[in-house]
Amino acid sequence: MVKVWYEPPPFGPGTSHSRPPYGSLNEATPKWVQTITRMPRLPVIAGFTVAAGVLAYIPLIGKQLPFTMSPEYQAAQRAYMRYHNMNPIWGESSKKSRAADGH
């Protein structure tokens, strides 16, 4: 039987012997990048997701919705889909959908 002595990496589990504990950070890396890399992942990901959502919503503020979102257009689209029997199992042409609209 062979005895194996385990020596953990110097910077903790999941790290390499040849690199620092938080990736390839050095003196040239900005302090805010070093701070973000040392933070728990969930708050960083959530923060960037919220920021991206806010930035994506900014161009929509004060704009009108497209004409395809009007109730008249959607009613005409449903009528067209029923006439052409599009998606007859689960969609607009299904028996359940027609019964809900009274057709």
Side-chain angles (χ1 to χ4, degrees):
M1 179 144 115
V2 176
K3 280 192 171 185
V4 177
W5 294 96
Y6 173 72
E7 184 178 338
F11 302 113
T15 60
S16 173
H17 287 287
S18 61
R19 66 180 174 88
Y22 297 106
S24 60
L25 300 177
N26 56 26
E27 296 79 30
T29 307
K31 289 287 183 194
W32 66 272
V33 173
Q34 292 179 12
T35 305
I36 288 176
T37 56
R38 291 184 176 109
M39 287 176 63
R41 290 182 184 168
L42 185 61
V44 173
I45 293 171
F48 277 106
T49 303
V50 168
V54 168
L55 287 176
Y57 182 71
I58 288 173
L60 300 177
I61 296 173
K63 300 261 181 157
Q64 283 187 336
L65 290 175
F67 69 94
T68 56
M69 298 293 289
S70 68
E72 298 85 13
Y73 189 92
Q74 290 180 347
Q77 186 178 21
R78 277 194 305 276
Y80 179 85
M81 290 173 74
R82 285 191 180 132
Y83 179 78
H84 291 285
N85 201 23
M86 292 181 184
N87 200 355
I89 298 174
W90 304 108
E92 289 295 329
S93 298
S94 66
K95 290 180 183 178
K96 185 177 178 182
S97 178
R98 287 177 186 259
D101 287 344
H103 288 95

